[in-house]
Amino acid sequence: MRQLLATPSQLGPLLKSGRRAAGLSQTELANRMGISQSRISHMELHPESVSLEQLLALFGLLGMELMVQSRSDAPASQEW
C-alpha cells in the first residue's frame, strides 16, 4: 500500500487501516507497544498527538515504513 500524507488528519485512518491489515486489534497493538488500548484509540482519532518516536514504532510493528520526498510543487530551495 502506498499512501500520500499531506495533513495530520490523514494519519489516523492510515494507522487504523495498517493495524487492521496486520490483523491486530487495538489491544494487541497496544500490548506490543507497551501502552494502553485507549492510547492506541486516541492516536487513531487524534493523530496530531503521535510523536515521531511513537509513529516510527507503530510503523515498524505494522510492517510499514515512512518515506520522505520532495513535493513536485515545492520551491527548489527554502531557507529555514
Side-chain angles (χ1 to χ4, degrees), residues 1-73:
M1 156 182 41
R2 282 195 125 179
Q3 179 69 41
L4 175 65
L5 296 177
T7 65
S9 64
Q10 295 171 315
L11 180 58
L14 178 65
L15 292 175
K16 186 175 186 175
S17 67
R19 175 179 56 77
R20 287 183 171 173
L24 297 171
S25 67
Q26 287 182 345
T27 301
E28 291 167 328
L29 181 57
N31 288 339
R32 290 184 186 191
M33 287 195 66
I35 60 177
S36 68
Q37 175 275 325
S38 62
R39 179 66 183 133
I40 295 293
S41 176
H42 188 77
M43 289 178 182
E44 290 179 359
L45 294 171
H46 304 282
E48 68 280 358
S49 71
V50 179
S51 71
L52 180 59
E53 182 179 357
Q54 290 171 328
L55 181 63
L56 293 174
L58 280 166
F59 280 179
L61 287 170
L62 298 175
M64 301 167 76
E65 65 183 359
L66 180 64
M67 185 181 221
V68 179
Q69 65 183 38
S70 297
R71 290 180 10 190
S72 59
D73 65 340

